[in-house]
Structure formats: C-alpha cells, structure tokens
Amino acid sequence: MPTVFIPSLLRKYTSGQESLVVPGRTVGEVVRNLDEKYPGFRNQVVEGDDLKSSLAVSVDGDLAVGGLLEQVRESSEIHFVPAIGGG
Amino acid sequence: MDTPQTQQFKIIGTRPVRHDGLDKVIGRAKYGADYAFPGMLYGKVLRSTLAHARIKSINAEKALRLPGVKAVVTHADFAPQTTAPVYRMGGEAAINPLYLACNILSKDKVLFVGHGVAAVAATSPHIAEEALALIEVEYEPLPMVLDLLEAMKPGAPILNPDVRRKSAPDEQTNIAGEFQFKRGDIEAGFKAADIIVEREFRTEMVHQGYIEPPNALGIFPGDGHATVYTSTQGPFDVRIMSATLLGLPEGSVKVIPAEIGGGFGAKLTVHIEPIALLLSKASGGRPVKMVMTRTEMMRGATGPTSGSILKVKMGAMKEGKIVAAKAWFAYEAGAFPGSPVWLGCFTGLSPYNIENFLVDGYDVLINKPKTTSYRAPGATNAAFAVECVVDELAQRCGMDPLDLRIKNASREGTASVMGPKFPRIGFVEVCEAIKNSDHYRTPLAQVPGKYRGRGVATGFWINGGMQSSAIVNVHADGTASLVTGSVDIGGSRASTAMVVAEVLGLRAEDVRPAVADTDSIGYTDGTGGSRVAFATGLAAYQAAHDVVRQLKERAAKIWEITAEDVDWTDGKAISRKNGVAPLSLKELAPRLTRTGGPVTGRANVYATGVGPSFAGCLVDVEIDPETAKVQVLRCTVVQDVGKAIHPSYVEGQMQGGTVQGLGWALNEEYVYDEKGTLRNASFLDYRMPTCLDLPMIDPVIVEVANPGHPLGVRGVGEVSIVPPPAAVANAVSMAVGTRITDLPVSPPRLFKVLSAKRG
Amino acid sequence: MAKKQLVETTINGEPTEFLCEPRQSLLESLRDILGLTGSKEGCLTGDCGACTVLVDGRPVCSCLMLGMEASGKNITTVEGLAEGTQLHPLQQKFLEDASLQCGICTPGFLMSAKSLLDRNSKPTEAEIRYALAGNLCRCTGYDKIVRAVQDAAKVLQSR
C-alpha cells in the first residue's frame, strides 16, 4: 500500500503522525481513504475536485502531472508540497 | 545499452555558433521595443507617489483633452476579478486574478510608491508622459510599514484586511503565509551537540537588473481577438493572464514572443501587457506600444526579490557531524502575497543530511513592490544564512569547510527536506571539484596594508520539468527545422537544435530552430526554472525520434522490406537484410514525396525525471581598510550540470549567475526613504557589477548524469546565483576576523564593522 | 510642442536626413524615426551603455545626445559595423566565444570595444575592462566579453 507523508503543519489532523500507509490506486483514492480514518484531512488538501491551488503532489519523487488523478503503485511514496514557481 | 553516462556524442558537447547569433551582433534581432506598426500609439502608466493610500477619485478629463491623447484606462476597465484561483494549464502554480489585476493597476488602494493607478495612450511617448501629469488623483494617505519585523507585529498597518493566519483566523495580519518543514527531534539533537552556532542574518530587497525594461505591444480591435508582442519568458503565461484580466477565452489572445533582453524570472508574469491591450481596445484597436523606463521598472512591481531576516542555529558533534538545525526565515512579499520563502525553507538545508531539523518560514506583506521570481527564487537568501553558519561550524570543529560538507552531504537516497528521496545527485562531486581546483590549491598570499580572505559556499536548486512541445520538420535538402515555444534567453535555441542534430545525424547548423507564438506550438511552460535544456530538450529529442520512426518506414518502402527490419544508427537508416547501403537523412529527404509525403515529428511532454543540481563558489577578496571596499581577486564556480549540451552557454549561465550573486553580496540593495520612495532607482545608484569590478570567473563543469533524462541533462540556469553571497561573506569574515551577517557587504556597512573592531 | 527640425547628418557612411522634435534624443531618432533599432534603450540616463554609438569615432550614449546634435556629424551604429557581409572581428569573436546570452547589451559593447581597438590595438585585460566599464551586462558576468575583445585584438593585429 502507498505511503503518504504528512506535511508538518497538517500533522495535527493525523494525530501527529508523520507518515501513514493508506490503500488506493490514485492519489485521490488514497486521500479519500485517509480522510475516513482522519476526518478533516481531505479538506486541507482538496478544493472542489482538484488539489488546493497552493499545493502540488509528488509521487515517487516526481511532481505528479495528474494531481488527484495520478496513479500510484503499491510501493509509492506520496508527498504534498507547495506549488512551484521558478525564475 | 548506453546509459547517459556512457553515450558518445558527435554534436552534443561541442560549441557551434548559435543560430540566432548573427542577427544579434548586427542589430537585426527584434526585441519587444523594436516593433513598430502603422497608426501605433504609445502607452504610459501613472504611478503612485504614496506608499499606502486609499484612492478617492481619479479624474482624467484634462488628460483626455490634451491633443494626441486617445485613451485613459484604470483598473475598472479590467473584467471583474475574484480571488478564485486560475490555473495555468496542467495545474501548475495558480494565479490569483484579483491580486494580479490590482498589482498592475490598483483598484482602490495603492500599496507602494510606484503602484500603477492609470494608463494613457497617445501619439507620442512624450505626449503620453505629459498626459500623466494631467491626471488628477485624490488620495487618502494611510499609515505605512517598511520594516519587515514591524510589519509582522500585531498593530502594524494592515495592507490587506482579508489576509489571515491559520492560527488566528479572526485577526488581521500582514503574515500572508506560514510554512514549516520538520523532522526528528531538534531539542534532543541540540542537547547532544558538542558545538552550536547561532546567528541572525539580514538581506535587503534586490532587483534582477535585466538591461531591457519590460515592454509590450498590444493590438485589440474589439472583435474578440487580441495580439500581444512582448519580451517575455513565458508567452503562454502572458496569454492566460491577459485573457483572464480582459475577460476573454484563453485562446483568443495570441502572444508573439519577441527576443528578450534578460528576465531572470521577472518576465514570467505580466507587468504591462494587459494594460497595452486595454489601451488598444479603448483607442479603437490601434496598436499600443509600452516600454517602461528604468526608474519605473525599479519602483514598479517588476522584480524585485525579497529582503529577509534569517535566523539559523546548527549543532554538530566535534568530529563534524551536524545533528540539529533550526531556521526561522521571514521574507518580504511586498504588496501582495507570494514571496519565495517556502523555497528558501526547502533549499537552504538541502545539501545536508540532517536527522533533526525545524524550519519555519513567513511570507510578509509590506509597503514595497510585490516581489517576483529571481533566479532560484528564495534560495540565495536561505543559503546565505545556512552556508555562513556551516562555515563557522567548520571553523569551530577545526575542519576544512568542504570536508565538513562532504561528511554531511546529501547523496542518492537521502531524504530531502520536503521528504522525497534524492535520486542520483552530484553534491559530493561538486565539493571535491572545488577542493581539486587550481584556485583552492593555490594559497592566498597576504599583502601588507590590506585584509585578504578566502571563502567558499555551496547551494542547491530543485530545477523544473513541466510542459514543453516540439515539432521537427524535414526539408527536401536534407536539413530540418525545429519549432518550440521556449523563448531563448541564453543560447537554448542552439542547444535544443543540437539535440535534434545529434539524433538525426546532421550538423548543428543544418537544424534551424524557431520560437513560435502561442497559436503555432503546443502549450509550453515558460523559459525559467532551469527547465529548457531539460524539458524542451526532451521534447526536441522525442520529436526527432518521431522523425526517425517515420524515416525508417520510408527507407523500408525504398528497400521493399518492413520497418521492423530497419535500424537507425549514427544518423543513418540501416537495413538488417544484406547487401543494401545505408541511407542518411540527406539521402532520404529528396525521396519523401514518393514514399508518402511530408515528414514532421512531434512531441508533447510533461517532463518528469528532473535532476536537481548543486553549485559551489570559491572567492578570494581583498579589503582596503581605509575605504572598506571589497575587491574580488579571484572567483571559481563549480556546478553539476548533468550533461553540458553546449558547454560555452553552460559556462555562460554559471558565470552570469555567479556575478549576479556577487552583486547581491557586494553592493546591491534597495534604499528607501521614510516616505517609502526608492531612492536608488537608476543604474547609477543601484550598483550592479561592471566589467571593471570583476576578474575572470572560472567555470568548472561537473557532469553527474541525471538518470531521469535520456542525455543525462540537469537544469543549468539558476543554481549558480545561490552560493556567492555566502562565499563573499565567509571570505570577508576571514579577512577581517568578524562574522559578517548583513548583506550587502558594501563599503558603508563594512566600514562600520571595521570601525567597531578598531575602537 | 516645438516644430520639427531638419537634421542633416551621416549615418554608417550614408548621408541621411530626418525631421525630429527638439526634445527627441539621438537614440529615439535612430530607433523610432530612422528604424535603426540596433541601438538599444536600457536606462535613458547614460548608465548602461546599451545605446552606445560612435560620434565622429568617439563612443557616446545616444540617449544623452539630442537628435538635432547629430547635424554635421558622422554617426556609426552597430548596423554599420560589418562591411557588407564581412563581419568585424569583434562581431565574429562575440559569436565564436559565446559572448552574448540575451544579446541586448551586445550592440553597445561592440561599439565601445570598436572604439577601444581603434585607439589601442594591444589593450591589456585591465585596459579592456576600463574601456568597457560603462557598458552593463547582466547575463554573462563579462568574462567571455573580455575574451572576445582580446581575441579580436589579436586578429586585427595580425592584419
């Protein structure tokens, strides 16, 4: 099952846990399943049917194009990161 | 199979003359300000002279009566905006359209001296300027705040009444964003540490300093289709932002990128493009050209990047292992939220594998221009603080500063600050290259009457992937053309053309690169973020292979075999059946008509497999005790670039970024008076390095191939700006025997330090 | 607004006439009236050198000179540096040595460097840096620009 790493400022929604193993085949499914155990977490990362505009998601080290639709594998690591801008 | 490390190249790694070079040395290249059209008008912007005030009324009657004036526009002419985010395609960094519109032309409040209030179109730029003076604006001044710490305090003048901290949702505040990265237990870490260094650092607002002021030429006849010529790093960014502000569907705005005279991140957004379009519409569709003046550019929200307060505490064991790090960063956002503080939080500690850390970052509103990206945004400030503390740790441990870094280095598999594990990276290789450099091995001789010192620092940047599109056309004469949407600010046309040439077996000059407008090429993210050689190079590579696939089919037709029996090696189609001579692209090209028609290769990528990069800067300085002037005697920059496609332009990026960093370290800063007016809004007083200030900058290219890219490429453009301020500070600290904690290390500031030492 | 005046001058070896307002600079005249956009606008206060042209052989910031002051003078701009299709060695070395990135400062540097090499055929590195101190570049860090001038000097010496 994929591992979700919880951003530092959101750990209060997951009883302080830094990472959780959560089932799911897409990022969206994983977030929904996480929310069942820790209600309220989903509202912190999702707005409407997409990620919050201030966030991006990294799957196995790469910024995930598909956002919530991005597929994940059994061994995947999921990180929520602030959305990026460069120069 | 060849890995990126073992490939042999014919074109990649060579130094051909860039394709657009001739036009640029004979004055034929067209930058945004070089365009002219019949019936063209000139636009100018009226800017606030108050740092914080409510706009009570704007009266443009007198201006409109001035002969030659055709239109006056204000924020009210934009389509109504909300704060609901507008995504650039693909979900990258969303735009807040209301803040964007208000930043360009203020709605009801001006938030910094230089904030746009109204704009005029007239038949000459001189008449337009005269008209500005005739626009009457009634202001109600408000208390202002120019100091970062003051702005963070409860009771500070509030810039935006809607901004709230998550921890205090009922209180107005100027703290627009809070970020935190945490791992392990820093209290336990610091308890165990043998040596602790704790320092507070300050940097000032600085500007990208591109030589070409922002420009835009808008044509909007009111039939729903708008055209913009502009010197931009991001034509598709200009498209979505202009369309949103004008209330048009995105595809109705065509952006034609002109050549660009420097951007460094600041030209990835819009400053005046939407205004040019509004003025054009209000003038009955006449083209309206706008070119900012230097003063306007320095005062307006066209850069700059954040001044900051950086508190860093690090603990190490006496043999040099870093066991804990705590950082507190506050960055100026300027008038609207969005400083790069979180990037600083992430990148500052990235070179190091530290078990216990806590990094807190704050994005702070202040009555200064809204900050814009500047080459590795946020990283330079953070690295200044971290790299100075690391230097001091090394000193206290009695260790060579590079050995301490190698001991604590992030490597493949190290968990990065944000969490994901690093792929193959080259930080250790960069440190070792510095140690092995001729510069490092040459002791620094002291001279009587001067203070001399040597300093080293390293830096990290994430680099970007994102979206790029490429088309390769094959011509009957056996040449090819490459079309991309990536504006060329540093030689990337040449390197992307070289990638195509390598795949197709052509000479570099046989591939003609072109940068297309937003209708003529697939969506392409901006030129910046160190992404062009990587992602557009990848798209060019895949498009060239798409051509190869088609050429194999054509050869198969000629040889009357199937495409599965055709290989492509060294730029030639080779038959697996015996007795047939290979066919090169040059030989196939005249036969395309008979074998099926035109051949065009294409690729669209959302590039993954990004390789982050590290850089190091080694600098020797000499200080005149009487004038406190810091002279750079020698400078070496080392950078891991993965694979240098065109080494000369890679060296150019390394040298250019280093010199920007040296300017940031030595003399650049925004100087405000008590009214919030920028006093040094010219190139005379905003003191960037000149030719005379510098020695040669020695570039050392390290190539640790990025396994995520077929050619091993890592982004090159940004990271070299990150280490120099800390390297200079460390050198000066060594020379004068006192730790430098404030940038810039300019003569007035250093003089105070030297005087304090003496007396 | 004062009436436009006729200016009679020589630009890149060609006798040239144009009408300009008294308040228009030489830079504006070259770019907006004559369509010679090779000289660039960087600051309009004579601090960046992007607008450098040669006036009777001397490097001048054309933003600090009025169009009308060009009367009777010999003006050379970057468009006149090459001889037909034969590039000046400076132009050739800027290309070979990769001495430009965005290229906006390049015309100004070429004119300042030409003026230096016309006066001093064997400049030291320090003399080159001094002569070019009035031209700002933000992209290159100046290293490859100085090298190109050194290389061009060698070519000119060997002629």
Side-chain angles (χ1 to χ4, degrees):
Chain A
M1 285 195 288
T3 308
V4 183
F5 291 82
I6 313 294
S8 165
L9 292 173
L10 296 184
R11 287 173 199 164
K12 57 175 179 263
Y13 295 95
T14 59
S15 305
Q17 308 258 40
E18 289 187 19
S19 69
L20 293 161
V21 176
V22 182
R25 284 158 308 169
T26 64
V27 171
E29 210 182 326
V30 167
V31 169
R32 273 197 308 276
N33 290 336
L34 206 172
D35 195 66
E36 286 199 4
K37 192 158 184 220
Y38 295 101
F41 179 83
R42 188 168 185 275
N43 279 340
Q44 296 302 315
V45 299
V46 171
E47 195 166 331
D49 50 14
D50 203 343
L51 280 172
K52 275 203 168 156
S53 61
S54 54
L55 291 177
V57 64
S58 156
V59 175
D60 297 323
D62 270 321
L63 272 183
V65 180
L68 294 176
L69 299 176
E70 187 78 7
Q71 295 193 335
V72 295
R73 295 167 305 160
E74 275 299 293
S75 58
S76 282
E77 291 189 358
I78 302 169
H79 295 262
F80 294 99
V81 299
I84 293 207
Chain B
M1 186 187 109
D2 269 342
T3 61
Q5 290 96 319
T6 62
Q7 289 176 86
Q8 296 297 317
F9 296 113
K10 287 209 179 91
I11 308 291
I12 288 170
T14 64
R15 301 172 189 247
V17 169
R18 63 194 276 179
H19 304 71
D20 56 316
L22 180 67
D23 279 354
K24 288 183 171 151
V25 298
I26 62 175
R28 191 164 62 193
K30 279 187 120 55
Y31 295 79
D34 299 333
Y35 284 93
F37 293 97
M40 188 170 77
L41 300 172
Y42 298 83
K44 290 279 174 191
V45 179
L46 177 67
R47 296 187 178 275
S48 161
T49 50
L50 296 175
H52 196 194
R54 228 176 290 282
I55 299 175
K56 291 171 75 177
S57 68
I58 304 176
N59 188 341
E61 271 174 48
K62 289 195 187 129
L64 284 163
R65 281 204 295 269
L66 184 68
V69 172
K70 300 300 174 191
V72 175
V73 299
T74 64
H75 180 103
D77 293 294
F78 285 134
Q81 304 294 329
T82 70
T83 55
V86 172
Y87 287 90
R88 300 180 211 188
M89 261 181 69
E92 282 296 331
I95 305 156
N96 181 320
L98 179 61
Y99 290 173
L100 177 69
C102 289
N103 191 34
I104 294 174
L105 284 176
S106 62
K107 188 175 177 185
D108 34 36
K109 262 211 318 177
V110 293
L111 295 165
F112 59 97
V113 173
H115 199 165
V117 172
V120 167
T123 50
S124 91
H126 301 282
I127 295 174
E129 268 179 24
E130 282 175 12
L132 292 184
L134 296 174
I135 299 177
E136 292 164 339
V137 184
E138 217 186 318
Y139 292 106
E140 178 199 319
L142 298 167
M144 74 178 96
V145 60
L146 294 171
D147 177 84
L148 187 45
L149 283 176
E150 288 301 317
M152 293 176 81
K153 288 187 181 148
I158 295 294
L159 271 79
N160 185 330
D162 298 329
V163 164
R164 296 283 187 277
R165 296 177 76 161
K166 271 206 173 124
S167 50
D170 297 323
E171 277 171 41
Q172 291 187 343
T173 178
N174 289 321
I175 298 177
E178 291 169 284
F179 303 90
Q180 188 182 81
F181 297 104
K182 191 160 110 175
R183 177 181 299 153
D185 179 351
I186 51 162
E187 275 186 36
F190 282 120
K191 218 164 166 197
D194 295 322
I195 296 165
I196 293 180
V197 172
E198 184 169 10
R199 294 271 180 195
E200 179 172 327
F201 301 85
R202 259 211 114 120
T203 74
E204 299 299 325
M205 195 167 247
V206 294
H207 197 277
Q208 295 80 348
Y210 39 84
I211 307 298
E212 175 199 53
N215 57 64
L217 204 165
I219 307 173
F220 191 9
D223 64 344
H225 287 93
T227 306
V228 181
Y229 291 79
T230 174
S231 294
T232 178
Q233 292 173 251
F236 287 86
D237 299 301
V238 172
R239 183 177 79 164
I240 181 68
M241 293 183 188
S242 302
T244 303
L245 263 46
L246 267 59
L248 293 171
E250 190 176 341
S252 299
V253 178
K254 177 165 155 178
V255 179
I256 301 170
E259 299 297 331
I260 175 176
F264 313 111
K267 293 181 183 171
L268 282 165
T269 180
V270 289
H271 305 296
I272 47 178
E273 291 85 340
I275 303 179
L277 289 174
L278 283 184
L279 286 171
S280 178
K281 184 172 167 198
S283 311
R286 290 172 74 164
V288 175
K289 177 153 102 175
M290 299 180 70
V291 179
M292 290 174 95
T293 67
R294 177 63 46 184
T295 309
E296 191 184 1
M297 182 187 125
M298 300 296 285
R299 291 204 173 125
T302 61
T305 196
S306 317
S308 54
I309 297 173
L310 314 147
K311 302 185 206 183
V312 173
K313 177 179 175 184
M314 291 176 88
M317 307 308 286
K318 54 182 181 298
E319 86 280 7
K321 178 97 193 94
I322 300 173
V323 289
K326 181 168 197 269
W328 183 98
F329 296 152
Y331 283 34
E332 295 171 327
F336 295 94
S339 80
V341 63
W342 79 266
L343 284 161
C345 290
F346 165 49
T347 57
L349 294 178
S350 282
Y352 309 108
N353 184 0
I354 305 175
E355 230 177 86
N356 310 295
F357 60 76
L358 174 65
V359 183
D360 285 300
Y362 300 92
D363 185 40
V364 183
L365 297 175
I366 198 168
N367 290 116
K368 293 184 182 178
K370 178 190 183 314
T371 55
T372 320
S373 295
Y374 180 13
R375 203 168 199 154
T380 308
N381 311 54
F384 167 58
V386 170
E387 293 293 303
C388 284
V389 168
V390 166
D391 193 68
E392 199 172 349
L393 274 178
Q395 195 179 32
R396 301 257 305 263
C397 292
M399 267 181 97
D400 173 287
L402 290 163
D403 286 338
L404 184 119
R405 286 174 171 85
I406 292 170
K407 190 181 184 76
N408 290 282
S410 291
R411 298 161 194 265
E412 184 175 2
T414 304
S416 68
V417 168
M418 279 210 286
K421 297 199 177 70
F422 277 120
R424 180 77 171 92
I425 49 175
F427 181 52
V428 170
E429 285 83 348
V430 165
C431 291
E432 282 170 353
I434 302 173
K435 281 188 76 173
N436 292 330
S437 68
D438 180 72
H439 184 172
Y440 202 74
R441 289 169 179 224
T442 309
L444 176 63
Q446 294 295 330
V447 298
K450 307 267 192 217
Y451 303 133
R452 282 188 173 189
R454 171 170 291 177
V456 71
T458 55
F460 165 80
W461 187 244
I462 35 175
N463 298 332
M466 299 196 286
Q467 301 166 90
S468 283
S469 182
I471 297 171
V472 175
N473 292 314
V474 178
H475 301 272
D477 63 354
T479 64
S481 51
L482 166 68
V483 183
T484 71
S486 284
V487 167
D488 185 355
I489 49 180
S492 54
R493 263 190 195 93
S495 46
T496 46
M498 288 164 74
V499 169
V500 172
E502 185 78 50
V503 172
L504 297 181
L506 297 172
R507 302 173 306 169
E509 56 262 44
D510 287 333
V511 179
R512 289 179 298 279
V515 177
D517 64 58
T518 53
D519 273 349
S520 308
I521 189 70
Y523 185 87
T524 298
D525 279 304
T527 292
S530 309
R531 63 173 297 270
V532 174
F534 176 77
T536 303
L538 178 65
Y541 178 85
Q542 290 184 2
H545 275 287
D546 189 27
V547 166
V548 165
R549 179 187 57 76
Q550 295 173 65
L551 291 178
K552 284 158 84 173
E553 284 166 12
R554 303 309 179 89
K557 223 172 185 166
I558 291 170
W559 293 326
E560 291 172 357
I561 58 179
T562 62
E564 286 84 55
D565 287 325
V566 181
D567 292 319
W568 182 272
T569 313
D570 281 341
K572 291 189 175 57
I574 299 175
S575 168
R576 290 188 193 165
K577 307 284 187 191
N578 291 331
V580 192
L583 285 170
S584 68
L585 186 149
K586 267 208 156 46
E587 289 160 323
L588 285 164
R591 306 179 71 171
L592 293 184
T593 308
R594 286 269 180 246
T595 56
V599 167
T600 297
R602 73 166 173 97
N604 293 309
V605 306
Y606 194 130
T608 54
V610 175
S613 53
F614 293 87
C617 178
L618 178 64
V619 69
D620 293 342
V621 302
E622 177 179 282
I623 297 155
D624 182 323
E626 292 197 1
T627 63
K629 181 180 174 189
V630 178
Q631 186 71 33
V632 176
L633 296 174
R634 189 171 180 181
C635 183
T636 302
V637 50
V638 180
Q639 187 171 327
D640 170 22
V641 307
K643 178 69 198 167
I645 298 177
H646 192 313
S648 298
Y649 289 106
V650 168
E651 289 165 355
Q653 291 298 314
M654 291 165 67
Q655 292 165 328
T658 298
V659 169
Q660 284 183 311
L662 292 176
W664 197 328
L666 291 170
N667 253 311
E668 292 178 40
E669 62 176 309
Y670 265 31
V671 179
Y672 281 95
D673 67 16
E674 69 290 343
K675 293 213 176 84
T677 305
L678 182 66
R679 300 309 298 172
N680 59 337
S682 75
F683 272 152
L684 182 64
D685 297 317
Y686 180 80
R687 183 68 170 80
M688 297 179 354
T690 71
C691 204
L692 193 55
D693 294 318
L694 299 164
M696 295 293 187
I697 310 290
D698 295 320
V700 175
I701 293 177
V702 168
E703 287 179 317
V704 174
N706 171 14
H709 190 276
L711 302 169
V713 168
R714 294 182 192 275
V716 233
E718 291 172 287
V719 68
S720 53
I721 197 178
V722 179
V728 168
N730 289 336
V732 174
S733 298
M734 176 188 166
V736 307
T738 305
R739 278 284 157 188
I740 298 297
T741 57
D742 289 1
L743 289 184
V745 194
S746 57
R749 288 166 187 269
L750 186 56
F751 192 77
K752 282 202 184 107
V753 170
L754 293 176
S755 302
K757 267 200 82 121
R758 277 195 283 261
Chain C
M1 186 180 81
K3 269 186 103 138
K4 290 187 184 174
Q5 305 274 347
L6 180 68
V7 177
E8 291 168 289
T9 180
T10 307
I11 299 185
N12 297 328
E14 298 279 336
T16 307
E17 292 179 349
F18 61 92
L19 284 170
C20 77
E21 295 172 38
R23 62 181 168 182
Q24 288 182 296
S25 67
L26 175 59
L27 179 66
E28 197 182 333
S29 306
L30 289 169
R31 290 176 53 80
D32 295 347
I33 301 174
L34 295 169
L36 290 166
T37 57
S39 306
K40 303 301 179 193
E41 177 186 315
C43 69
L44 295 181
T45 50
D47 298 314
C48 74
C51 66
T52 306
V53 300
L54 301 184
V55 178
D56 293 339
R58 292 186 59 203
V60 167
C61 284
S62 57
C63 70
L64 293 181
M65 194 169 142
L66 294 175
M68 287 170 53
E69 289 181 282
S71 255
K73 303 270 196 295
N74 248 302
I75 313 282
T76 314
T77 72
V78 68
E79 288 95 337
L81 196 51
E83 285 192 25
T85 55
Q86 182 69 25
L87 293 181
H88 189 282
L90 279 168
Q91 290 168 309
Q92 189 60 38
K93 289 305 172 188
F94 264 64
L95 290 178
E96 288 170 14
D97 293 349
S99 309
L100 57 140
Q101 288 181 30
C102 80
I104 195 88
C105 71
T106 302
F109 267 100
L110 288 170
M111 302 318 291
S112 292
K114 176 182 191 317
S115 163
L116 167 69
L117 294 181
D118 286 347
R119 287 179 273 122
N120 178 354
S121 59
K122 287 198 176 113
T124 62
E125 183 185 332
E127 284 168 333
I128 294 174
R129 288 186 180 275
Y130 186 81
L132 299 181
N135 289 81
L136 290 179
C137 174
R138 197 55 161 167
C139 292
T140 68
Y142 304 104
D143 184 294
K144 292 182 190 296
I145 291 176
V146 172
R147 290 182 200 278
V149 176
Q150 290 171 326
D151 289 343
K154 287 196 193 104
V155 169
L156 287 169
Q157 280 164 44
S158 68
R159 282 192 181 167

